[in-house]
Every structure is written in structure tokens, then in C-alpha cells.
Amino acid sequence: MIQAETLELLEWPRLCQHLATFAATKLGVAAALDLQIPPTIAQTAELLAQTQEAYQLESRAGGALSFDGIQDIGVSLQRAELQGLLGGEELLAIATTLAGARQLRRIVDSATDVPTLKELASQLRTYPEIEQEIHRCIDDRAQVADRATPKLAGIRVQMRQVRDRIYQILQGILQRQSNAVQEQVITQRSSRFVIPVKAPQKDAIPGIVHDSSASGATLYVEPHNTVNLNNQMRQLLRQEQAEEEAVRRALTEQVAAVKPDLDRLLVVVTTLDLAATKARYGYWLQANPPKFIDLGEPELAPKNTENIDEENSDEEQAEQSQVLTRNLRSPITLRQLRHPLLVWQQQHEQGFAVVPVDLIIGPHIRVVAITGPNTGGKTVTLKTLGLAALMAKAGMFVAAREPVELPWFDNILADIGDEQSLQQSLSTFSGHIRRISRILEVLSNKLQPEKAENSNVPIPNTSATSDSLNTNTLSTNSPAPILRLRTSTELSTSSAQVPHAPCPIPKSLVLLDEVGAGTDPSEGSALAIALLQYLAQHSLLTVATTHFGELKALKYQDARFENASVEFDDSSMQPTYRLLWGIPGRSNALTIAKRLGLLASIVEEAQTHVGGASADVNQVIAGLEAQRRKQETKAREATQLLHQTEKLHKEVSQKAAALQERERELKIAQEVAVNEAIGTAKSEIAQIIRKLQAGDQTAQNAQQATDTLNQISEKHLPSRKAPAKPKPGFMPKTGDRIRIPSLGQTAEVLSGPDANEELSVRFGIMKMTVKLAEIESLDGEKPETKAQLAKVAAAQAAATAKAKQAAAEPAKPNPEIAIRTANNSIDLRGARVSDAEIEIDRALSKAVEYGALWIIHGKGTGQLRRGVHDFLATHPQVSRFELASQKEGGGGVTLVYLK
């Protein structure tokens, strides 16, 4: 299929490999490696919503999705359904997956503004009873625990008793027959306990020989005294195995009973992991979410402006020169678009710096012809656009600057590279034609009315009237190659519906590299022109690279065509990989051939064969490119100036707001101070009145009360206080405007202060000499005199001396460090979370005097540690807590600091 070929040509599998490195689970890795392109815009919108919400969670501190413990248990579920017996490790994997899914649902439920992810998480059924039963019956070593059944516990007690009796007998033999024993050890052969005996002295210890060493010098003998005990041990071992199988069989049956729900759990977890993977990849790529552009209302567009005959402008002529079509509502906007594979190569494989391109394509443009030099980046531009469209369809972010706006293409088809094949007898030209034929076949099938029923976008019959069409809604009958998490009714009623249209709705993106190449230039250019004109009618957007000059002129004949070119730097004789719009490019084949090492004589000879008209056209194009570069430079400078102006305006606004806030705070502080002073004065006056009323009202007492009231007024009334002296620091210069308070005049300084601190000033027609201390600035600021400077210097010297004295004083000792003792440590291993919370609360009350508490909870599954941390996070006595250092227990111990 041409769609699969396009994915290979655009290197989509390689991008999926890069995406898979951001997955958290094996399920996510598999889904990312086999990432499917959804067939409907409704599914794309759902995937994109998942990615955006996962991106929000990844951006929040502590809110990222956690997939700890989740494993791929699909094979185990299938074997359980087929009545197979699951092992201990498989059962533990199922239990940890259920716990991980429950934690994942808890994270999603506690988040805000993530309705799509909450809808997914609501489908998770985690069966805590099955998880608890598995942990009860299976220990951390994936073995069936003694507590699984009383019978199993009894069997293992008997086994230990029999083993102890066997060891006791064999130890006695080893001590009595130490000369006949090779070494003092007890080992096993065929699940029977034996001792190593020297071969020449085998008769010293009568028994059954089960094995011998490689040299034959040692025989492993089971003494006759332990044969019955070993037989009994073998019987108990078989009983133990049977009981363990019974336990695992019961657990397997419980898992098989809920297999559909566990299958759904894996699907939901994989979907969430894939959404988080896309979000992490988009964050690493510095990408932005795409916005899909809708089609506008049908309108008449000129089919070929060159062929319009002004003299025969009758109704039939107008119908032939125009075509009914639907354009996009807004232009395709992809600014600073980068190729994601090149970004990966730059950051992980020490590749070259990635040069972004700007793709701004008008709503009415259907064909873009990119021209320019070889090795200039034309093919990379095609692949970048193709990958951007695929990533947007797959619900991924696009590596471009906001806003990212492009249509939802129902098909992305490409002919890039050389399909030459000796085995299939395909030349370069025939290989291109074969692939283009398959592209045209897909386009024609999309526009046929009999196949519109099974397509993802409604395609009306161009030969029928609009009354006979009934394709208003998206079809949901076609199978979706991605995880479907909504019903078909929900998808059909979503916002992906396309309104009824009386004209064809081509929504395909076609990418053609070197269209018409590989054959005679005149025939190739003619074929390319016809092909592009056909695609302008049958595809939403076609981007083609070419070197044919005839294709550059299509823009001036048909309004649906546009030119673009990759820039070439004439000074360095190298391409810049920048895309220029509206200007056809120069091939610069001779210049590039010379730069790549071709003999200069050959290049000079070729230059003489280039036609004069071609040279003139290249000269005009070069002039246009130079003019465009100048305009871009001016626009860039204007943009920088605008940004600087906006920054300055923002800073000034912030400072003004800060000053206003400071003034408001000062007013509030002054009001508070005045109210406090009034209250204090009233209290003191009331005390004086009470004293006068209580004592003898003599003249002396009255005078004392009057003096006290005067002191209170001088203390609290601002009018009685001496005015604050203005802060010195002003030094007048020639030309400054100053104020002379003694004269009440404003004057102009004619000459600065001299050695005697005198300066000449003029106000009106009068000139005079005044002292520096007799003037002030217009803001009321006093100038700095020599006497004031001397005071400042003395104050600074005193401050320096005080600082030295403070530095000479001995430093105060640090507070005592908390030391771990038996009184501030508590061991909770093996306890339940509810019981542990009670013990922790008691221990915290006792450990207040120590300032810290060490809680030993062990590692295990981590459930007890999480419960302890959740309890500590809400306890009022806890200041903070952290895991202890490795020498104090590491992840099995939590250190709590108390308030």
C-alpha cells in the first residue's frame, strides 16, 4: 500500500523508536513502536486531548503519572484463561500491576482539568481483594507462604522435624567416623541427604551410594539409619508440592474469572502510558499542540487565469474558467518548524544544528513548488511537513512555534527518493511513475461516490446534485487500528462532523520529490505541469520540489499555485537551508559542482553553454533574494526594538505599581501609628485626671498636670515636633535650577561652588553669590557641605569599628544535633498501616524532647512506607520527614523532624 510506503519514506518507524524511549512500561514501549495513525478526526481529537492533559500533569510538581509496579501480564492472563497454572512470579506481577493501576487511578482522580484521563481511569477495576489474597499466599521470594493454608503449614512443620532428625543422625556419624569422611558436610543427592565418604573406606559407613565425584575418590553415601527418614522426607515433599499447586491453582482461577476486566485494565494503562509518552516527547522536543483548520464555505476559484478571454466574458466562458471548491478557513501556519529526527540526531548523535523552516501557506493555495540548489534542504522540508502532519494525526505535539495550525489530512502520500530496481526492471523515471500512479489511485478512490461510504471524510458525488448527497456525518464503520475507548455513537456525535458540501472535498496531502525528473526535460516538465494541475483539483495540498523553470511560472497562471525556494548564500557559496516564499529559486548546479570538487575548467566550460535568458532570470532572482534579505533584516530589527520597548514599558509599569503599593502601605502604617499615639495619649491624660480627682487640688498639683500634658502633646502631636532635616546629597552644577529659601526665589546656577563653598546664581536680572548651605534643590534636597561629609565619614568609621568588634566576638555554638537512641526509634515491620498510625502517634508524643524520630518500616512492597508517609504528611507535630541515610537503613527507615 502506498500509505505504508509513505510511512517508510518519511521514516515514521524511526520516530516511533525515539518515542518509545520515553515510555514507562513495556506495554507503552510496544504501543509506541507500533503507533498507529487514526483514521478519523474524532479519534485524533481524543488522542490529542489525552496528550494535552498528560502534558499538564507532567508539568505540575508531583502530579506526573506514575506507572510503578505495572507489568505486561497479558501472557499470564491468557494462560490462566486456558486453565494453565500460574507461577509465583506471575501471580506477584499481577498483584503489583493491580496496585500500580490503583495508584495511577488515584493520581488521575486527584488532578483537576483532566476530564479525558478521568474518563479513562474510571474504567480501571483493580480488585484489591485478589491483590491481598496473592500477597497473603505468595511471599516476596515468589514462593507459597506457610500462611497460605493450615495444611501446608503443618506439612512444613513435619518436614523441619524430619530434617532435624536426619541432620542429628548424620552429624553423629560424621563425628564418629571422621577418618572415613572426606569432609565434614551434609549434602543432597536426588533430594536425599548424604555424606561424602572416602572411596577406600566405604565399608566403614554402611549405606546406599547415590553418587561419586568426578575423580572417583569420594562416594556420596546415604547411611542405613537415615533411609526411612529420607523416604518420609520425600513423601512430605510431594505433599508440599501438591498443596502449593492447589494454592496457586485457586489464585489462578480467581485471576481467570476477572480476565476481561484485567484485559481492559491493560488497555487503559497502555493508553495512559502512551499519552504520557507523547507528552514527555513533546516536552523534550519543545513542541506545541496542533490546532486543526476546518474547510470554509464553497466558493468559485479561477481555474486558469492565463486562459481567461476578456472579450468573450459570457456566462459559458465564466463557468469554464472557474471551479467550485472549498478552501481552508485560515492559512496553514507552521513557524520555526523543525525535523524531529534531526533534533534527535543533534542532541543524541552529535549532529549538526537544526535550521527551522517557516511554512505559511494561504487558504487558497493547493500546490507549492519548491525550487533551489541541490543539497539545499528541499527534500528535508518535504519530510518535515509530512512528519508534522502524521504527528498531528497521531495526537502528538508538533515541533513548531505556537500557533500550530494545519488541516486534518485523511491521507498523507509521498513520492520521495529513488525507486530504481534492477530486479523489477524499474528505472528512476518508471519507479517514480509507478509510485505516483498508486497515489493517484488512492485520490481517485477517495473522490468516487461509491467508496465514500467507507471513507473517513464525506466525499460527495461531483456529477450529482447536492440534493442526492447524504454524507453529513463521519462514518464509524471502518475498523480503527488504535485503541478505541469510546463507543461509535460518541465518536459519530463528536465535533468532527463535516457540513454538507455541494463540491468535492479533497483532504489529502501529497509530497513529490523532483517531480518529472529522470527523463527528457521538456517531456518531464510537461508531465509535471499536467500532474500538478490535476493534484490542484484532487488534493487539499501538494508540495513538490523541482528544477524545471516551467513549473516556477505556474504561480502567475493559476492562483492556486505558490513558489518557494531554499536560500543560497552567494558569499559563502553554500545553502543556508532557509525557506523563502514567493520567490523561485536558482539551481546553482555549476556553483555546487565546483564546491564539491569538480574541475574548474569543466565548470567554466559549462558556464559558456548556459543560455543568456537563464542567466538573466538567475540575476533577477538573485536581486529579489538580496532585497528580501534586507527587508527581513529590517523587520527583525524592528521586532527587536518593539520587544525592547515592550520590556521597558513593562518595567516602568511594574515600578509605578510598586511605588503606588509602597505609598499605600506607608499611609496605612501612618494611620496605625497615629491611632496608637492617640490611644496612648488618651490613656495618659485619663491617668492625670484620675490623680487630680483623687488628690488635693492644689496649685502645685495643677501645674504638674499642665506640664505633663505639655510633654504628652510634644511627644505625640506632629505639629509640636521639629521638622526633619532634608537628606543631604545634592551638589549643584552650572545650569541647574535651585531654590534660595531665605529669599523665597528660584535661581539658575552660573558657576559651581568654589573652595569657600560659594557659588554664583542668577534670578531675573539679578546676580549674586550665596553660600552652599543657603540653597536647596527644587525637590527640597540640601547640598552636601564639608561639615556634613565629615559627619558621614565619622559615622562610617564608627560603624566599621563596631563591625570589627562584632567580628572579634566568639561565634555561638550550633544547636545540638539529634542523636538516634532506643527512646526515639520505633520498629513497625510487619504491622498493618492502621496499627502503625497508632504506634507512630504515641512515639511522636514521647519523642518531642529529642526533636527527631526514626521509624523502621522496612522495604517490602512499599505499602507500609506509603501509609506511614501519608500519615506523617498530615500530622501537626511533624515539621518534615525524609528517608534515612544508607548507613541508618536507607529506604527502610524514615527520619521525622518534630516541630
Side-chain angles (χ1 to χ4, degrees):
M1 293 176 62
I2 187 61
Q3 290 88 345
E5 292 181 39
T6 298
L7 295 180
E8 292 292 336
L9 293 173
L10 296 178
E11 300 181 89
W12 177 254
R14 185 180 167 199
L15 185 141
C16 293
Q17 292 176 359
H18 296 169
L19 177 66
T21 61
F22 292 86
T25 65
K26 291 183 178 180
L27 295 168
V29 171
L33 290 174
D34 192 29
L35 186 62
Q36 300 295 318
I37 309 298
T40 65
I41 190 174
Q43 293 173 327
T44 295
E46 185 176 5
L47 294 176
L48 188 58
Q50 296 171 6
T51 305
Q52 289 177 306
E53 293 177 6
Y55 187 91
Q56 294 177 13
L57 295 181
E58 293 290 332
S59 303
R60 299 173 185 172
L65 296 176
S66 174
F67 297 88
D68 294 341
I70 296 177
Q71 303 180 39
D72 185 2
I73 58 174
V75 176
S76 301
L77 296 180
Q78 291 179 0
R79 189 159 69 255
E81 186 182 30
L82 297 175
Q83 299 182 354
L85 183 63
L86 299 183
E89 293 183 355
E90 293 175 304
L91 291 170
L92 274 184
I94 293 174
T96 56
T97 300
L98 292 175
R102 187 181 306 108
Q103 176 66 17
L104 182 62
R105 184 178 62 188
R106 187 179 297 113
I107 294 175
V108 175
D109 290 341
S110 62
T112 57
D113 301 329
V114 287
T116 305
L117 296 186
K118 285 188 176 182
E119 180 182 352
L120 282 174
S122 64
Q123 305 176 29
L124 290 173
R125 295 195 60 188
T126 56
Y127 292 99
E129 64 277 7
I130 295 180
E131 175 194 348
Q132 294 174 2
E133 184 67 12
I134 292 176
H135 283 303
R136 188 186 68 83
C137 297
I138 309 296
D139 58 20
D140 294 339
R141 299 172 300 161
Q143 303 295 326
V144 179
D146 294 351
R147 58 180 177 270
T149 61
K151 181 178 180 181
L152 179 61
I155 293 173
R156 288 181 175 174
V157 169
Q158 296 180 33
M159 291 178 65
R160 283 191 290 270
Q161 293 174 353
V162 172
R163 186 183 298 110
D164 292 341
R165 291 175 59 189
I166 293 175
Y167 265 75
Q168 183 179 3
I169 294 173
L170 293 179
Q171 287 289 355
I173 295 175
L174 290 175
Q175 293 177 3
R176 292 192 304 270
Q177 304 291 339
S178 59
N179 295 330
V181 176
Q182 193 74 307
E183 55 181 325
Q184 296 287 328
V185 296
I186 299 175
T187 183
Q188 281 186 311
R189 289 294 185 274
S190 301
S191 301
R192 303 180 75 88
F193 292 97
V194 296
I195 55 177
V197 180
K198 296 177 182 178
Q201 300 184 20
K202 63 179 180 178
D203 295 334
I205 303 177
I208 303 173
V209 178
H210 287 278
D211 196 5
S212 64
S213 63
S215 61
T218 303
L219 300 178
Y220 295 95
V221 178
E222 177 187 4
H224 290 307
N225 296 342
T226 61
V227 170
N228 291 333
L229 292 175
N230 272 322
N231 292 339
Q232 187 178 355
M233 191 69 182
R234 291 290 298 273
Q235 293 176 359
L236 291 173
L237 183 61
R238 293 192 186 95
Q239 294 177 13
E240 179 192 32
Q241 293 175 350
E243 188 63 22
E244 287 180 350
E245 289 184 2
V247 171
R248 290 189 284 116
R249 173 70 64 186
L251 295 176
T252 302
E253 291 175 354
Q254 293 184 37
V255 172
V258 295
K259 179 182 179 295
D261 291 335
L262 297 185
D263 286 337
R264 166 59 67 182
L265 181 144
L266 291 181
V267 170
V268 174
V269 168
T270 303
T271 304
L272 291 173
D273 189 15
L274 189 58
T277 300
K278 295 175 184 177
R280 298 188 196 104
Y281 183 67
Y283 181 83
W284 170 83
L285 199 58
Q286 296 181 357
N288 289 293
K291 177 183 178 183
F292 294 110
I293 307 171
D294 297 329
L295 291 173
E297 296 299 326
E299 58 183 14
L300 288 174
K303 184 177 182 181
N304 192 330
T305 58
E306 185 184 43
N307 297 331
I308 297 178
D309 189 358
E310 296 181 356
E311 297 180 357
N312 300 325
S313 58
D314 54 4
E315 186 175 336
E316 181 179 358
Q317 176 76 22
E319 292 179 356
Q320 294 178 356
S321 62
Q322 292 183 333
V323 61
L324 189 65
T325 184
R326 294 180 65 184
N327 295 325
L328 298 173
R329 294 186 181 274
S330 59
I332 298 175
T333 305
L334 296 170
R335 291 188 177 90
Q336 301 293 302
L337 180 64
R338 292 164 292 134
H339 196 298
L341 301 184
L342 294 182
V343 175
W344 181 278
Q345 184 175 341
Q346 175 191 358
Q347 298 193 15
H348 293 278
E349 301 173 8
Q350 298 180 349
F352 296 102
V354 180
V355 179
V357 297
D358 292 335
L359 296 177
I360 313 295
I361 304 175
H364 64 284
I365 299 300
R366 291 298 178 88
V367 178
V368 176
I370 303 178
T371 54
N374 295 306
T375 70
K378 299 189 299 296
T379 304
V380 173
T381 301
L382 290 184
K383 290 186 175 182
T384 304
L385 175 59
L387 277 180
L390 288 173
M391 293 171 68
K393 285 191 67 175
M396 301 173 63
F397 289 3
V398 179
R401 194 182 70 189
E402 285 189 308
V404 179
E405 299 179 347
L406 72 166
W408 189 89
F409 298 104
D410 58 355
N411 276 302
I412 301 171
L413 310 170
D415 174 31
I416 300 175
D418 193 354
E419 206 185 31
Q420 186 181 34
S421 173
L422 295 177
Q423 295 180 350
Q424 300 180 15
S425 300
L426 289 177
S427 65
T428 300
F429 178 74
S430 58
H432 280 293
I433 294 302
R434 289 275 185 89
R435 190 178 288 157
I436 291 174
S437 298
R438 293 194 292 271
I439 291 175
L440 298 180
E441 182 180 357
V442 172
L443 295 179
S444 61
N445 289 341
K446 281 291 177 183
L447 293 177
Q448 288 179 4
E450 62 270 17
K451 294 190 177 182
E453 182 181 355
N454 294 325
S455 65
N456 300 319
V457 179
I459 306 298
N461 186 354
T462 57
S463 61
T465 62
S466 59
D467 296 334
S468 63
L469 299 177
N470 188 17
T471 56
N472 294 338
T473 58
L474 289 171
S475 171
T476 57
N477 296 328
S478 57
I482 65 171
L483 298 172
R484 294 180 60 89
L485 301 175
R486 295 186 181 182
T487 62
S488 58
T489 305
E490 292 173 333
L491 290 178
S492 62
T493 58
S494 65
S495 59
Q497 296 180 357
V498 178
H500 179 71
C503 58
I505 310 176
K507 295 194 65 176
S508 297
L509 172 64
V510 180
L511 306 172
L512 302 177
D513 189 24
E514 300 295 347
V515 58
T519 186
D520 179 77
S522 60
E523 295 182 355
S525 63
L527 182 61
I529 291 173
L531 176 61
L532 293 183
Q533 288 179 341
Y534 177 85
L535 291 175
Q537 184 66 25
H538 294 82
S539 69
L540 183 58
L541 179 64
T542 300
V543 182
T545 65
T546 182
H547 288 285
F548 294 139
E550 292 82 356
L551 269 65
K552 305 174 186 178
L554 289 175
K555 170 186 176 180
Y556 309 103
Q557 302 172 7
D558 194 328
R560 297 172 298 174
F561 284 71
E562 179 59 279
N563 284 333
S565 61
V566 287
E567 187 181 33
F568 188 81
D569 191 352
D570 293 328
S571 58
S572 63
M573 295 299 173
Q574 291 184 351
T576 64
Y577 306 107
R578 294 177 62 245
L579 196 63
L580 303 178
W581 288 89
I583 300 177
R586 298 169 289 157
S587 295
N588 292 297
L590 301 182
T591 304
I592 293 175
K594 184 177 181 180
R595 182 172 62 87
L596 295 178
L598 191 64
L599 291 176
S601 57
I602 298 178
V603 176
E604 292 174 358
E605 177 65 21
Q607 192 69 44
T608 61
H609 296 288
V610 177
S614 176
D616 294 340
V617 171
N618 286 337
Q619 186 175 2
V620 171
I621 294 176
L624 291 174
E625 291 177 353
Q627 184 178 3
R628 181 175 187 130
R629 281 194 292 270
K630 291 181 181 178
Q631 296 296 332
E632 288 179 349
T633 302
K634 292 181 179 179
R636 189 162 50 250
E637 293 175 352
T639 302
Q640 292 177 355
L641 182 59
L642 178 60
H643 288 167
Q644 293 175 359
T645 305
E646 292 176 349
K647 182 179 179 181
L648 180 60
H649 180 268
K650 183 178 180 181
E651 292 177 355
V652 172
S653 300
Q654 290 176 350
K655 290 182 179 179
L659 288 175
Q660 292 176 356
E661 180 65 20
R662 177 61 177 167
E663 183 179 0
R664 187 181 67 84
E665 292 176 354
L666 288 175
K667 288 182 178 179
I668 294 175
Q670 289 175 356
E671 291 177 359
V672 172
V674 169
N675 290 330
E676 290 179 353
I678 292 173
T680 304
K682 287 181 178 180
S683 177
E684 294 176 357
I685 292 171
Q687 291 178 4
I688 294 172
I689 294 174
R690 283 196 296 270
K691 287 181 180 179
L692 288 174
Q693 291 175 349
D696 296 333
Q697 300 180 1
T698 63
Q700 184 178 359
N701 292 339
Q703 182 62 39
Q704 290 178 356
T706 302
D707 294 339
T708 306
L709 288 174
N710 290 333
Q711 292 176 4
I712 294 174
S713 63
E714 291 177 357
K715 179 180 178 181
H716 296 288
L717 292 179
S719 60
R720 301 291 184 89
K721 296 182 180 179
K725 296 182 179 180
K727 181 180 177 182
F730 168 69
M731 183 57 64
K733 300 185 295 296
T734 302
D736 288 350
R737 302 287 295 176
I738 53 100
R739 182 182 293 110
I740 307 175
S742 60
L743 300 178
Q745 295 289 338
T746 301
E748 178 184 0
V749 178
L750 299 179
S751 63
D754 54 14
N756 296 326
E757 295 187 344
E758 294 181 348
L759 66 158
S760 298
V761 297
R762 177 178 61 191
F763 53 93
I765 60 174
M766 295 182 60
K767 295 181 181 179
M768 64 182 299
T769 300
V770 295
K771 288 287 188 179
L772 187 62
E774 297 176 355
I775 69 169
E776 64 182 19
S777 69
L778 298 180
D779 296 333
E781 188 176 3
K782 287 292 186 180
E784 292 181 345
T785 62
K786 293 181 180 180
Q788 291 170 340
L789 291 176
K791 290 182 181 179
V792 172
Q796 291 178 348
T800 303
K802 186 176 180 181
K804 290 182 178 179
Q805 182 180 1
E809 294 180 358
K812 296 181 179 179
N814 292 327
E816 184 179 357
I817 300 175
I819 299 175
R820 180 177 178 181
T821 65
N823 295 327
N824 61 352
S825 298
I826 180 174
D827 192 348
L828 301 176
R829 287 176 292 184
R832 297 180 178 271
V833 175
S834 57
D835 299 333
E837 292 178 352
I838 299 173
E839 296 295 331
I840 293 172
D841 191 59
R842 294 174 181 171
L844 288 174
S845 301
K846 297 178 181 179
V848 172
E849 57 181 318
Y850 300 99
L853 176 66
W854 279 262
I855 301 176
I856 305 171
H857 46 65
K859 297 180 181 179
T861 61
Q863 185 174 2
L864 179 59
R865 182 185 67 221
R866 288 192 295 270
V868 169
H869 286 184
D870 292 342
F871 178 72
L872 292 175
T874 58
H875 200 282
Q877 288 183 256
V878 176
S879 174
R880 61 187 179 91
F881 60 89
E882 60 187 17
L883 293 177
S885 60
Q886 288 297 329
K887 65 180 181 180
E888 291 184 338
V893 179
T894 296
L895 175 57
V896 185
Y897 295 95
L898 305 181
K899 294 182 179 178

